[in-house]
Amino acid sequence: MLNLNPSFTPLGENNLIEYKSFLFAGGEPHIKISNNFDASLPLTITHRINSFNDLGLICITVDALKKMGVKEINLFIPYFPAARQDRVMIPGEPLSVKVYADIINAMTLASVTVFDPHSEVTPALLNNCVTVSNHEFIKQVIANIGTDVKLISPDGGALKKIYKVSEFLGGAEVVECSKSRDVKTGKLSGFKVYAEDLAGADCLIVDDICDGGGTFIGLAEALKAKNAGKLYLAISHGIFSKGFDELGKYFEQIFTTDSIKEVDHEGVTQIKLIDIL
């Protein structure tokens, strides 16, 4: 095992390979790996990709390992970068998810494991892709809440996954919702909840990514307008680029994993991937 982020050990800390990594003055990542392992055995790299340099570090690590004679290299990257950019909405945009997938595919890895990918596009583009669902994560979230909740699908893109979660949980009730997005500006509007009256029921919104949180704030207001009880939010990949001040006004508790970063906030419960996998 080679954990490129020493504080992120989603698969445990057994048989760790020693290394040193740093950035050159120009900003380029570099690594020196100790020859303290059996190169004939399969090896797994783990990392969190929060920047293009993180991907670069993976690339040069794979190159160094191959030069050391390692034949089977596996990669665990829970959050797949640019997964949201899985289609070209307007002329002039890139298909970013394919750019990242092409770079990773060029490394000819034995497997690439991704946690709760944004859509089916990522595993379709990524060679030897292994996906881990959010089912166990949501099971632990509901156990933490301690009461029955309705599962809330924020939009059409989440429907297929949330019904699979419901099936895994034994048939939890699902409430479908939708929103509109201006593809040129990204502005959200038109939040709809397809239930007449929630009658005070507690609700858990389930989604894969929270960036600024606008989707969930707009949806929370629409749910309250339909007489929802307590609101909870479960996010597989928590970016939280705008913090928690606004989200905290609507949600009793926010749940996420450590797939992107460590979160230390009284309104957030972080469930580590090592306890989910």
Side-chain angles (χ1 to χ4, degrees):
M1 191 84 65
L2 201 161
N3 297 323
L4 289 177
N5 183 330
S7 66
F8 180 60
T9 57
L11 305 179
E13 299 185 65
N14 295 325
N15 302 316
L16 293 183
I17 295 173
E18 298 176 3
Y19 69 93
K20 293 182 179 179
S21 65
F22 57 90
L23 292 178
F24 283 114
E28 307 94 336
H30 187 64
I31 192 166
K32 292 183 178 181
I33 303 171
S34 299
N35 190 18
N36 64 335
F37 63 96
D38 186 347
S40 68
L41 298 176
L43 184 150
T44 298
I45 299 169
T46 73
H47 203 18
R48 293 190 284 208
I49 299 181
N50 287 301
S51 71
F52 212 79
N53 255 4
D54 291 331
L55 178 59
L57 180 59
I58 292 171
C59 291
I60 63 173
T61 299
V62 170
D63 183 71
L65 290 170
K66 287 184 175 181
K67 286 178 168 56
M68 297 174 79
V70 179
K71 301 300 182 184
E72 180 179 326
I73 303 174
N74 302 280
L75 177 64
F76 180 86
I77 44 171
Y79 171 69
F80 193 82
R84 290 172 288 175
Q85 295 169 294
D86 59 2
R87 67 196 73 183
V88 177
M89 302 298 292
I90 57 176
E93 289 186 339
L95 185 57
S96 301
V97 66
K98 187 176 186 301
V99 174
Y100 279 88
D102 286 347
I103 293 171
I104 292 173
N105 287 341
M107 291 187 274
T108 60
L109 300 168
S111 69
V112 182
T113 301
V114 180
F115 173 60
D116 194 13
H118 180 65
S119 70
E120 295 178 347
V121 176
T122 295
L125 292 173
L126 200 56
N127 295 343
N128 304 318
C129 182
V130 178
T131 62
V132 178
S133 75
N134 64 343
H135 298 176
E136 182 61 31
F137 169 51
I138 301 303
K139 179 181 177 180
Q140 291 192 32
V141 167
I142 292 175
N144 194 295
I145 293 172
T147 60
D148 291 334
V149 293
K150 295 183 185 296
L151 300 180
I152 309 299
S153 173
D155 51 38
L159 277 177
K160 183 182 292 187
K161 287 199 291 185
I162 204 165
Y163 276 111
K164 288 182 179 179
V165 172
S166 173
E167 181 181 0
F168 176 79
L169 296 172
E173 184 177 349
V174 173
V175 176
E176 299 181 13
C177 303
S178 66
K179 65 178 185 283
S180 299
R181 183 189 298 272
D182 187 317
V183 296
K184 292 184 177 180
T185 66
K187 185 177 180 180
L188 299 171
S189 62
F191 291 92
K192 294 182 180 180
V193 178
Y194 297 101
E196 291 301 318
D197 187 351
L198 292 170
D202 295 341
C203 298
L204 172 66
I205 300 175
V206 178
D207 210 355
D208 60 312
I209 300 170
C210 178
D211 193 336
T215 292
F216 309 113
I217 291 170
L219 185 54
E221 292 174 345
L223 288 166
K224 283 297 185 181
K226 290 294 183 78
N227 299 316
K230 294 179 180 179
L231 300 181
Y232 300 90
L233 178 62
I235 298 296
S236 296
H237 310 291
I239 299 172
F240 304 121
S241 60
K242 295 185 178 179
F244 301 99
D245 289 347
E246 287 300 311
L247 288 168
K249 296 176 182 178
Y250 297 91
F251 295 101
E252 296 288 321
Q253 194 72 6
I254 298 167
F255 298 87
T256 191
T257 74
D258 58 344
S259 67
I260 290 183
K261 60 184 179 182
E262 307 298 323
V263 178
D264 184 10
H265 188 277
E266 62 182 359
V268 179
T269 298
Q270 191 165 49
I271 298 174
K272 292 187 177 296
L273 286 173
I274 194 171
D275 297 322
I276 296 171
L277 301 174

